[in-house]
Amino acid sequence: MKWWSHEVSALLLVYALAPWTPASAILVPLTFLGAVFPDIIEILLFAKHRSLHELAIYLALPPILVAAGHPYLLAFAYASIDHVLVDAMTKHGVKVFGRRVRWVLKTNRLPDNFVPVLLHVALAYLVSGGSAFTLLAFPH
């Protein structure tokens, strides 16, 4: 998927899961960084694209961050996990506990990049019971 699809999807996920207040503004940059972190790691390690996209690695982040006393970094961890899950929806797929998981989306097709975004909109709506979008549409 394109970087913007990962960014928007992750932001919608964290928006749905976290209580948003003025103090939670720190979640936005953490989410944006986490949304591209799996690709950044591969670039820094000169690894082939998606060669390190193993879901098990990223699922270990939340408990490690909480145990280390950094629960505010959960936005980063959730965004990284979301990146791998969104990439699992592509034809190339990712590894999930050592097995390749893939779906039908093509990363270079614009409509296919909107599929995860729309799924995240639906997820945010369902998780919030519609209240998240009421707040977005009608700020107090």
Side-chain angles (χ1 to χ4, degrees):
M1 307 281 40
K2 299 296 183 192
W3 67 270
W4 61 264
S5 182
H6 285 297
E7 297 284 359
V8 173
S9 294
L11 194 59
L12 284 164
L13 174 73
V14 172
Y15 179 76
L17 297 178
W20 285 75
T21 66
S24 64
I26 186 64
L27 298 180
V28 175
L30 290 171
T31 301
F32 283 155
L33 181 59
V36 293
F37 183 71
D39 289 339
I40 291 171
I41 288 296
E42 289 176 342
I43 291 168
L44 293 175
L45 296 176
F46 302 103
K48 183 179 172 188
H49 185 55
R50 293 199 187 153
S51 62
L52 302 176
H53 280 43
E54 166 58 68
L55 184 62
I57 295 169
Y58 293 96
L59 287 177
L61 283 176
I64 290 170
L65 293 171
V66 171
H70 301 294
Y72 54 89
L73 288 178
L74 285 174
F76 173 86
Y78 292 152
S80 295
I81 292 167
D82 189 68
H83 179 113
V84 176
L85 291 173
V86 166
D87 278 354
M89 293 190 291
T90 66
K91 283 188 173 235
H92 185 270
V94 298
K95 288 190 177 180
V96 176
F97 299 102
R99 298 191 70 194
R100 177 79 46 199
V101 173
R102 63 183 92 212
W103 199 42
V104 298
L105 300 181
K106 295 180 181 177
T107 58
N108 290 326
R109 285 181 25 101
L110 183 63
D112 287 1
N113 276 271
F114 277 105
V115 170
V117 172
L118 293 174
L119 289 173
H120 283 76
V121 167
L123 174 71
Y125 183 81
L126 291 172
V127 167
S128 69
S131 64
F133 291 96
T134 303
L135 291 174
L136 280 177
F138 307 105
H140 295 30

